[in-house]
Amino acid sequence: MRYLMAAVVLLSGALGIAAFAGQTPQPPASQPPASQQPAVADPYANNAQAGATQFPLAAQAGRDSNARNVPPTGAMNTGPFDPTTWKNGHAFDPPAGSKIWNPVKLKMMRGEKVTGGTLFSATDPATYCAMANAGYDFIWTEMQHNDRDWGAVARMWRTCPYAKAVPGVRVAYTDEREIQHALDAGALVIVVPTIDSTKEAIEARDWTYFPPLGRRSNGGGQAFDASMWGGVPGGYRNTINDNVVLIEMVETLEGLKDADEIAKVPGVDAVFAASGDLGNFSGFRQGTPDYERAINIVHDAAIKAKKRLCGPFAWRDRPDFTCFQAGSETAAIARGVADELGKLANTQGRPEVGPFATAGTK
């Protein structure tokens, strides 16, 4: 009996591992194995051995080099230092002929419809991976209205980075720390809520993109790892500006006022007409003239700026809307079970007594 029990335990464990592995696809055939990819998450990993490097252009010890006024021989930027006229170097340009490797960016560029499944409360990597392989284009990991931390998000994303849906997130607000935590963890879609002004729209853009378009710091993170995006064609640092997707949400009356200018900001891929909060901030419900006017203001801003227009999945047939937020993981489970069981769904037995006598009747 003891040996039989051990065999059952081993078999159960094997089945559990197999089920989880089925939710965690391996890198595509074009992805080099991790052993052949450079791990560059640590910005200091490739520093030369201390004491062995020469610095021929360094200022001499104890002397003013006058670098503010006079550049070293061969410098591209001549004359006194001026950040407003600085010419950026080409060390981080994408290689010639680079192609888009983020499927969401590619679909948006083609004008095709994009869907994001909402991971609202789960922190379990298996749940995330199941959502990411369910058919969505990206996963809208909710960080505005959820209390999980970035460590939990990073664990989920790195469990199945090559799932069908790429990792995306709605951050809590326009903030350097929030947005850079998301990107360093591997986000390829950034959704920023409650954009109230052109100034805020530019700030969200700045924290999303590396220079020269933005101000994202090159601090490393698992996004740079070979197990995530470290081995993409052209390299992560050099190509991510062309592959990240930035969606900015117009949700307030102040945002409506600046909607045209928000949509025009370079680097903003799409504007999201916030179905819930535009009602919340305006005091009107969907279908009323004042509410529909607010949505149409966002619509017009996107059309004029030639940017994508986003909204809830229920608006997938609304004119000009091409990217959508779909339901949460709990809603997806409920829909999936109902679809699987068909007529057998919700046909539970009803005892005459006990706690299940009235279960499900409310």
Side-chain angles (χ1 to χ4, degrees), residues 83-329:
T84 63
T85 60
W86 185 266
K87 300 174 184 175
N88 266 66
H90 301 290
F92 300 105
D93 289 354
S98 292
K99 295 182 179 181
I100 300 299
W101 50 265
N102 179 357
V104 175
K105 186 83 167 190
L106 196 62
K107 285 188 76 174
M108 281 193 163
M109 292 171 65
R110 293 172 176 168
E112 299 171 1
K113 293 187 176 183
V114 170
T115 58
T118 305
L119 192 83
F120 192 86
S121 57
T123 57
D124 176 31
T127 303
Y128 170 81
C129 291
M131 282 282 287
N133 284 302
Y136 302 107
D137 293 299
F138 72 95
I139 297 301
W140 173 307
T141 308
E142 181 57 49
M143 292 295 280
Q144 182 188 21
H145 295 292
N146 187 270
D147 59 1
R148 66 185 145 217
D149 59 34
W150 283 110
V153 173
R155 283 191 295 275
M156 291 189 292
W157 290 355
R158 68 174 173 256
T159 301
C160 52
Y162 308 118
K164 296 174 183 177
V166 306
V169 62
R170 175 162 65 177
V171 296
Y173 53 98
T174 302
D175 176 73
E176 178 178 7
R177 184 179 188 275
E178 283 290 295
I179 294 173
Q180 294 200 99
H181 268 59
L183 290 163
D184 289 349
L188 296 181
V189 178
I190 298 291
V191 183
V192 186
T194 55
I195 298 292
D196 286 336
S197 65
T198 309
K199 179 177 180 292
E200 188 176 358
I202 293 171
E203 288 177 356
R205 186 276 311 278
D206 282 351
W207 304 132
T208 300
Y209 289 89
F210 283 121
L213 180 57
R215 298 187 60 201
R216 180 184 171 189
S217 171
N218 191 17
Q222 70 180 28
F224 293 79
D225 287 349
S227 59
M228 287 200 76
W229 318 129
V232 297
Y236 176 80
R237 170 60 181 88
N238 289 57
T239 63
I240 188 58
N241 271 13
D242 291 335
N243 283 276
V244 68
V245 171
L246 174 60
I247 301 171
E248 297 195 346
M249 301 186 72
V250 177
E251 309 191 66
T252 65
L253 300 182
E254 292 80 7
L256 289 175
K257 178 177 178 293
D258 275 9
D260 286 0
E261 297 305 316
I262 290 169
K264 290 178 184 176
V265 171
V268 174
D269 294 287
V271 288
F272 193 110
S275 57
D277 262 328
L278 277 173
N280 178 42
F281 283 98
S282 71
F284 294 93
R285 295 189 181 279
Q286 181 174 333
T288 61
D290 294 88
Y291 178 94
E292 298 301 327
R293 180 186 186 185
I295 301 301
N296 289 340
I297 287 173
V298 185
H299 166 275
D300 297 347
I303 297 304
K304 285 183 282 189
K306 294 182 171 57
K307 302 293 180 68
R308 298 278 76 96
L309 179 59
C310 304
F313 188 64
W315 293 359
R316 59 192 178 276
D317 297 320
R318 189 168 180 143
D320 296 320
F321 279 78
T322 58
C323 79
F324 310 98
Q325 179 191 14
S328 69
E329 68 272 33

Side-chain angles (χ1 to χ4, degrees), residues 21-42:
Q23 299 172 347
T24 312
Q26 298 302 308
S30 59
Q31 186 76 17
S35 61
Q36 298 177 15
Q37 299 174 9
V40 292
D42 180 359

